[in-house]
Amino acid sequence: MDYKQSELVEAKRQIDSILHKLKETVKTLESKENPHRYKSQITLAKRRIDALTISVSLIERDLD
């Protein structure tokens, strides 16, 4: 599927914002007194970070 450059730029901007929020969430959960209580949330957030990082890489490749 072909996307306009402006659509890709906006998608990347949105994903970057989500990534920033997810990374902050992981930091917060890992700094809690009992981080093991949040293991599943931390794991889910890290998997989402990995998936979104791949998405950003593919968008950047398309933009080049």
Side-chain angles (χ1 to χ4, degrees):
M1 200 166 192
D2 290 328
Y3 295 99
K4 294 182 207 170
Q5 184 168 355
S6 61
E7 292 174 315
L8 293 173
V9 169
E10 180 60 21
K12 182 185 176 307
R13 190 177 76 77
Q14 294 298 323
I15 293 170
D16 285 339
S17 174
I18 295 167
L19 276 169
H20 174 74
K21 291 174 187 174
L22 278 171
K23 289 175 183 177
E24 291 301 314
T25 298
V26 169
K27 282 184 199 176
T28 300
L29 291 174
E30 288 179 334
S31 70
K32 297 249 182 207
E33 190 172 314
N34 295 316
H36 65 277
R37 292 181 60 203
Y38 305 97
K39 186 176 193 278
S40 62
Q41 289 97 326
I42 293 169
T43 300
L44 177 60
K46 286 181 176 180
R47 287 180 181 164
R48 288 178 174 168
I49 288 168
D50 291 342
L52 291 169
T53 300
I54 291 168
S55 298
V56 167
S57 295
L58 294 172
I59 289 171
E60 288 173 342
R61 186 176 72 186
D62 249 19
L63 286 171
D64 287 342

